[in-house]
Amino acid sequence: MSVLRVGNASGFYGDRFDAMREMLADGPLDVLTGDYLAELTMLILGRDRLKNPDAGYARTFLRQLEECLGLAHERGVRIVTNAGGLNPAGLADAVRALADRLGIPVRVAHVEGDDRTAAHPGTLAAHAYLGGFGIAACLRAGADVVVTGRVTDAALVTGPAAAHFGWGPTEYDRLAGAVVAGHLLECGAQATGGNYAFFQDGDVRRPGFPLAELHADGTSVLTKHDGTGGFVDVGTVTAQLLYETGGARYAGPDVTARLDTVRLSQDGPDRVRVEGVRGEAPPPTLKVGLNRLGGFRNEVAFVLTGLDVEAKADLVRTQMAPALGRITDVRWDLVRTDRPDAPTEETASALLRLVVRDADQQAVGRALSGAAIELALAGYPGFHVLAPPGKGAPYGVFEDVYVPHGAVDHVAVLHDGRRVSVSPPPDQHTAVPAPVPEPPLPQPLPPGPVRRAPLGLVAGARSGDKGGNANVGVWARTDDAWRWLAHALTADRFRELIPEARDLPVTRHRLPNLRALNFVVEGILGEGVAAQARFDPQAKALGEWLRARHLDIPESLL
């Protein structure tokens, strides 16, 4: 069958507004997807729904569609999005109303069944990650726009691919290929030079959004529209492939994709071929993300300038101690951004950051807005803060649980109102599959002179979050660099370079086809991004910190 061209116009709620119009106008497409959901987004939408029961979906999608629905209809491009969030039926109705107002004949369907909030009292939002076969049912019945709630990010691609190529639920290699393509597309411009370690290799001032050319055998080519910014090469695709993943098995509701089988090759300018992907049966359970309010949070950053920074910090802590005695969680961080004999006041200053959390909003408000500001004329010399503290804001907590496929009523609501139940996968890994054999290490480089230098001179990295855990994917750009990296960057060396991880479980996974190592650091993000437990709550820059650390690197690689 013909190639299926699937593009992406959104990697998160708040991504580039013009991307939908650009993707529709700048080149040919069959399907345009938009990913609007993340763990934090579900919490935000949950709070929206508390204020208005008719809310709970990504409102920017409707505004984008108002500009672009006519163009999509004219070009015959179908739109598949998870912008429905907590209320896919509500967004589907809003799209129909918009189409009627614009006079555009559009068939709108939606997918439901992910909402598990009633089964988890005390949560603001609890949603199962559904697969792509509900989307496929909607498209097979003729839908032009398909709206979903919580599906896996890759389901936005596996659904259209299964519908187009007629794949069944046990065609695991093909489905796994589509999962990999979906994972590469899901974060938008991250696959086309955005957030890329070697960003200076191309012009990334305004990267174009990616698209995948999918084939019936599950292989694909990752590319972008001609003439758009950014660039696509094996490195940008490797970086996105490693993003927010773990070991060799990438489990989902439709299939378990084997990331250790993925092969990437440059297929021309801005074209990377993705092939060799093998798939296995999915696990017997679905992941359910639970979002709840954890309490209230407040913070203030004291600016410590010039001499005696440590003594000034000790004075602040001592003066604040009486006001903080009853607060449940108090965290101090001294960030030494100062330098001796600094040429500017800013570079002569350090930051002392105080973060407090408690179930009582008034307690966190009083502790900082009262006690901290009362020190203005009674504290260390040069006292000031970056910004006055507020009353305290609610923060969220994310965790995941697992339920059997049969516990979820996965339903495709077709454009004509018919409801089609989506059966659980016919085959599931009911037993824990055997561990993937650890691939052999490459031959080490022969001994030679070394030089102390940053890791990032010879390796790229990309990091991200999954609940309270972080992953850091590190890859080498040459075979010789891989021969060194695979032996030098052990889990113990990782802990040495990232002191925050010293007392945490760190698992290293080898992916030799990608010349890559993937490190999973458990618990480094506390209760997840919404809890904002650390300076970089989503671990977005953890990989760049690792690349900036120095170690002994063979001079032959430098």
Side-chain angles (χ1 to χ4, degrees):
M1 298 181 71
S2 61
V3 171
L4 179 69
R5 294 172 63 89
V6 181
N8 171 284
S10 175
F12 67 100
Y13 191 10
D15 209 343
R16 187 192 305 168
F17 187 86
D18 292 337
M20 183 182 291
R21 178 179 46 78
E22 292 168 3
M23 288 300 290
L24 290 168
D26 289 350
L29 280 180
D30 300 304
V31 177
L32 183 59
T33 66
D35 179 10
Y36 292 79
L37 301 184
E39 293 166 3
L40 181 60
T41 314
M42 298 298 280
L43 183 73
I44 293 168
L45 295 177
R47 292 177 61 191
D48 286 349
R49 192 170 59 173
L50 284 178
K51 301 172 188 173
N52 178 4
D54 294 328
Y57 55 77
R59 289 169 290 182
T60 51
F61 170 76
L62 264 185
R63 297 205 305 271
Q64 290 172 301
L65 206 60
E66 186 162 11
E67 292 184 6
C68 299
L69 188 58
L71 183 58
H73 176 69
E74 176 186 309
R75 299 207 161 192
V77 178
R78 291 169 147 187
I79 294 175
V80 178
T81 179
N82 61 15
L86 279 59
N87 187 7
L91 179 56
D93 286 341
V95 173
R96 291 186 190 99
L98 173 65
D100 288 345
R101 178 162 60 82
L102 297 176
I104 301 170
V106 172
R107 293 164 295 193
V108 183
H110 74 274
V111 177
E112 59 185 41
D114 58 301
D115 193 343
R116 299 274 301 164
T117 308
H120 297 276
T123 60
L124 193 58
H127 290 259
Y129 290 70
L130 302 180
F133 279 94
I135 296 170
C138 293
L139 293 171
R140 284 171 177 152
D144 303 303
V145 177
V146 181
V147 173
T148 78
R150 194 23 135 177
V151 296
T152 63
D153 301 337
L156 300 177
V157 174
T158 59
H164 181 77
F165 296 116
W167 294 340
T170 60
E171 297 187 62
Y172 295 132
D173 290 349
R174 293 178 172 88
L175 288 167
V179 163
V180 169
H183 179 60
L184 293 174
L185 291 179
E186 69 181 68
C187 290
Q190 272 197 174
T192 56
N195 299 352
Y196 181 51
F198 304 107
F199 64 96
Q200 297 177 88
D201 286 357
D203 183 355
V204 296
R205 288 173 294 177
R206 188 180 174 86
F209 275 60
L211 64 94
E213 299 171 357
L214 284 105
H215 298 265
D217 61 357
T219 63
S220 62
V221 172
L222 205 290
T223 183
K224 62 186 185 69
H225 285 321
D226 291 342
T228 57
F231 62 103
V232 179
D233 65 15
V234 169
T236 67
V237 175
T238 298
Q240 177 56 27
L241 187 57
L242 294 170
Y243 181 65
E244 294 182 348
T245 59
R249 286 190 171 98
Y250 188 65
D254 296 322
V255 65
T256 299
R258 288 285 297 267
L259 299 184
D260 57 330
T261 64
V262 180
R263 297 196 307 271
L264 305 176
S265 59
Q266 201 71 36
D267 194 49
D270 292 321
R271 293 177 62 83
V272 172
R273 182 167 295 280
V274 184
E275 56 193 344
V277 188
R278 302 299 302 274
E280 300 172 347
T285 55
L286 293 173
K287 176 180 172 181
V288 179
L290 307 182
N291 291 272
R292 59 181 174 83
L293 292 177
F296 295 89
R297 177 186 183 280
N298 208 353
E299 71 172 278
V300 63
F302 301 90
V303 183
L304 314 176
T305 304
L307 306 178
D308 306 317
V309 165
E310 297 282 352
K312 290 171 180 173
D314 287 343
L315 176 59
V316 177
R317 292 189 190 101
T318 301
Q319 291 180 308
M320 288 293 297
L324 302 177
R326 295 184 179 180
I327 301 294
T328 303
D329 185 10
V330 178
R331 302 187 189 193
W332 292 96
D333 288 299
L334 178 57
V335 184
R336 296 301 301 264
T337 50
D338 57 307
R339 66 188 72 167
D341 194 22
T344 66
E345 184 176 335
E346 189 171 7
T347 56
S349 300
L351 297 178
L352 179 63
R353 184 167 174 253
L354 168 62
V355 177
V356 297
R357 304 171 201 274
D358 198 272
D360 184 349
Q361 184 177 19
Q362 290 188 339
V364 299
R366 284 193 304 267
L368 268 63
S369 59
I373 299 307
E374 287 172 4
L375 297 178
L377 302 180
Y380 57 85
F383 180 100
H384 65 288
V385 297
L386 283 185
K391 299 178 181 178
Y395 71 89
V397 173
F398 176 86
E399 62 179 310
D400 50 56
V401 298
Y402 293 84
V403 299
H405 285 264
V408 172
D409 188 17
H410 187 177
V411 175
V413 184
L414 306 184
H415 65 275
D416 57 9
R418 286 179 295 148
R419 300 175 62 86
V420 177
S421 291
V422 179
S423 301
D427 297 324
Q428 301 160 29
H429 274 309
T430 53
V432 176
V436 175
E438 189 77 359
L441 286 166
Q443 283 293 112
L445 284 181
V450 298
R451 180 162 26 114
R452 199 78 177 165
L455 173 64
L457 296 183
V458 296
R462 179 169 283 167
S463 53
D465 65 304
K466 280 293 181 187
N469 302 338
N471 93 290
V472 185
V474 185
W475 76 95
R477 305 185 86 183
T478 67
D479 289 338
D480 280 351
W482 166 241
R483 291 171 64 189
W484 170 77
L485 182 71
H487 291 273
L489 193 57
T490 62
D492 287 340
R493 177 63 58 83
F494 182 97
R495 290 189 185 93
E496 292 172 11
L497 297 173
I498 304 295
E500 282 184 75
R502 279 190 179 153
D503 298 322
L504 298 175
V506 176
T507 305
R508 184 181 97 148
H509 303 279
R510 295 201 293 264
L511 299 167
N513 281 3
L514 305 174
R515 295 192 296 231
L517 304 170
N518 202 4
F519 295 88
V520 178
V521 188
E522 296 180 33
I524 194 170
L525 303 180
E527 295 174 302
V529 55
Q532 300 183 49
R534 66 188 294 273
F535 169 66
D536 174 18
Q538 288 181 281
K540 296 291 189 182
L542 188 59
E544 286 300 291
W545 178 23
L546 179 67
R547 293 182 68 237
R549 297 307 310 267
H550 289 222
L551 63 171
D552 293 331
I553 298 175
E555 288 189 353
S556 62
L557 301 179
L558 299 171

